[in-house]
Amino acid sequence: MMTDNLRAALFMMAGSSAFAVNDTFLKLLGDSLGMFQIITMRGVVVSLVFAALLWTQRATITALTRRDCWFLTLRSGAEMGAAFFFFKALFNMPLATVTAILQVVPLTVAAAAYLFLKEPLGWRRLSAILFGMFGVMLIVRPGTDSFTMASVYALLCVGMVTLRDLTTRVMAKGVPSSMVALTTAVGVMLMGAGGSVTEIWVMPAPVSWVWLGGTVVFTVLGYYLVILAMRTGELTFVAPFRYASLLAALVLGWFVLAEWPAPLTFLGSAIVVATGVYTLYREGRLRRRAMAEKAGLPRAPGEC
């Protein structure tokens, strides 16, 4: 019999892999269309999808407080920056390398939550974060020929995604997820439209329309499956399965894009994933202990 956690894990692996497929389509499109044109064309369709979803939920922007509007604006701005830097990195370095660098986000979010939200962070998780940062350094290798502007773009993307997730964490729980997704999609689309004035738009070839359609389908599919995973199973059990995106990126990069990362990139990726999984495990263990203490239950043997 399949449990909720097992079902959620399958959803998370499928959703994370969907995002890797989306990134592959984007990289293929980068050979024929301008970056901002891609962002704009995809953004229009994705925005319409989320607008339709929001309409079915009968949620309105007038129901938001001023604080909610501020955080939505900040989150959209962070997503716009993340999209810009991600595309710049994706079009100039291997897919698996970009994906590996982005796996450090859970660690940077944990560190940022400690610094700005005063969330507790023990020495074990702090050590894992520092070790994870060492893994990132193995991937980008500053001071060598491997460290390029694309590496800088990927690191800036990590910073923007961290700000986005931190903003999401402090946002009121009553704000509909579809509204958050819609405002984000519209913001990125407007950023693409503004930047597209610097490019010469071209009529996509038939195969480019297929790839563009693929980015829309797998973007929406990825969002849907990941949200479904989060709502089906326990967060600490499900979250580590999102690292399936790295495996998918390695396979797609090799077979579709003829890319294969350097050995140090593999080592750095393994370190980042291992420290990320450990951090999620520690967060889950501490959350369970806090819940037990709140309920007045005795501490489990070995809990510390």
Side-chain angles (χ1 to χ4, degrees):
M1 181 178 179
M2 184 174 292
T3 64
D4 285 344
N5 275 346
L6 181 55
R7 189 178 297 107
L10 294 175
F11 287 148
M12 178 59 77
M13 288 189 290
S16 299
S17 299
F19 282 124
V21 176
N22 164 68
D23 295 342
T24 305
F25 280 123
L26 290 175
K27 199 167 178 68
L28 291 171
L29 278 170
D31 294 332
S32 56
L33 301 179
M35 182 182 78
F36 291 114
Q37 182 179 352
I38 297 171
I39 293 175
T40 305
M41 295 179 70
R42 188 186 68 160
V44 169
V45 182
V46 173
S47 297
L48 289 174
V49 170
F50 286 127
L53 180 60
L54 186 63
W55 181 82
T56 61
Q57 297 176 344
R58 297 296 191 273
T60 62
I61 196 73
T62 56
L64 301 178
T65 64
R66 179 175 297 181
R67 180 178 181 274
D68 294 333
C69 292
W70 162 247
F71 281 127
L72 276 174
T73 302
L74 181 59
R75 189 187 187 282
S76 296
E79 187 67 60
M80 290 162 63
F84 174 81
F85 292 125
F86 174 75
F87 273 79
K88 295 289 286 185
L90 182 65
F91 291 164
N92 293 282
M93 66 193 311
L95 171 63
T97 303
V98 180
T99 305
I101 294 173
L102 291 179
Q103 302 307 309
V104 78
V105 167
L107 303 178
T108 58
V109 170
Y114 168 73
L115 292 173
F116 300 108
L117 302 182
K118 306 304 179 184
E119 293 188 5
L121 185 67
W123 68 268
R124 292 180 180 85
R125 284 188 293 166
L126 180 59
S127 300
I129 290 171
L130 294 176
F131 198 47
M133 298 305 174
F134 171 70
V136 173
M137 292 300 102
L138 288 179
I139 297 172
V140 299
R141 298 188 289 283
T144 68
D145 293 339
S146 299
F147 190 77
T148 64
M149 275 305 300
S151 306
V152 176
Y153 291 139
L155 294 174
L156 289 173
C157 180
V158 168
M160 290 291 101
V161 174
T162 302
L163 175 59
R164 180 200 68 188
D165 289 357
L166 206 64
T167 304
T168 305
R169 184 170 295 194
V170 299
M171 194 178 297
K173 296 185 182 300
V175 180
S177 299
S178 54
M179 183 175 292
V180 176
L182 174 61
T183 55
T184 299
V186 170
V188 173
M189 178 191 67
L190 293 177
M191 181 269 290
S196 65
V197 299
T198 64
E199 298 176 344
I200 298 177
W201 278 51
V202 299
M203 177 60 68
V207 68
S208 295
W209 283 111
V210 174
W211 292 334
L212 189 61
T215 68
V216 173
V217 171
F218 282 95
T219 295
V220 174
L221 187 62
Y223 275 121
Y224 177 76
L225 288 171
V226 168
I227 291 173
L228 196 59
M230 293 298 187
R231 292 187 171 181
T232 302
E234 299 174 13
L235 178 61
T236 51
F237 179 85
V238 172
F241 289 94
R242 61 195 174 83
Y243 291 115
S245 63
L246 181 55
L247 178 60
L250 284 168
V251 174
L252 290 167
W254 187 16
F255 286 102
V256 179
L257 305 173
E259 299 173 344
W260 193 248
L264 281 178
T265 299
F266 279 105
L267 177 59
S269 301
I271 291 174
V272 170
V273 170
T275 52
V277 171
Y278 176 76
T279 300
L280 291 167
Y281 162 76
R282 285 295 303 173
E283 287 181 355
R285 190 171 183 178
L286 293 174
R287 187 180 296 109
R288 289 192 297 272
R289 188 181 73 180
M291 291 175 63
E293 291 177 349
K294 186 177 180 180
L297 299 176
R299 181 177 298 182
E303 283 286 357
C304 58

